[in-house]
Amino acid sequence: AAHALTVGASDVADAVADFSNYGSCVDIVAPGVDIPLAVSSLRPDLALDPTRRFTLADGTSFAAPAVAGGLAVYASLFDVDARAATAHLL
């Protein structure tokens, strides 16, 4: 789509993650490695530290919402709709 952003994942060193798409098909990258996630009390076995109830996960599924949130803030600050903000950033 003309106004779609494609998102890749970056690691803690801000390099493209080894599992992420890259190149001309990716418009922007955002953090997608070692993202802390809450663990359900129903699955405490997934927690890295049972007293904190969190784990770390990787994926572009975590990078895309970060970009969407940043785009929403941008659109709000500059009083434009999301489509116009996306077109401006592309």
Side-chain angles (χ1 to χ4, degrees):
H3 297 292
L5 283 173
T6 54
V7 180
S10 62
D11 62 20
V12 296
D14 207 24
V16 174
D18 60 358
F19 58 82
S20 180
N21 285 330
Y22 58 89
S24 62
C25 66
V26 174
D27 295 310
I28 191 169
V29 295
V33 174
D34 289 342
I35 305 302
L37 300 175
V39 173
S40 167
S41 61
L42 300 175
R43 291 295 310 270
D45 55 305
L46 296 176
L48 294 174
D49 176 349
T51 63
R52 294 201 177 147
R53 303 275 188 214
F54 76 95
T55 192
L56 300 175
D58 302 338
T60 54
S61 297
F62 303 106
V67 172
L71 186 59
V73 169
Y74 179 92
S76 174
L77 289 174
F78 293 98
D79 198 26
V80 295
D81 66 24
R83 184 176 299 234
T86 302
H88 177 75
L89 294 175
L90 291 174

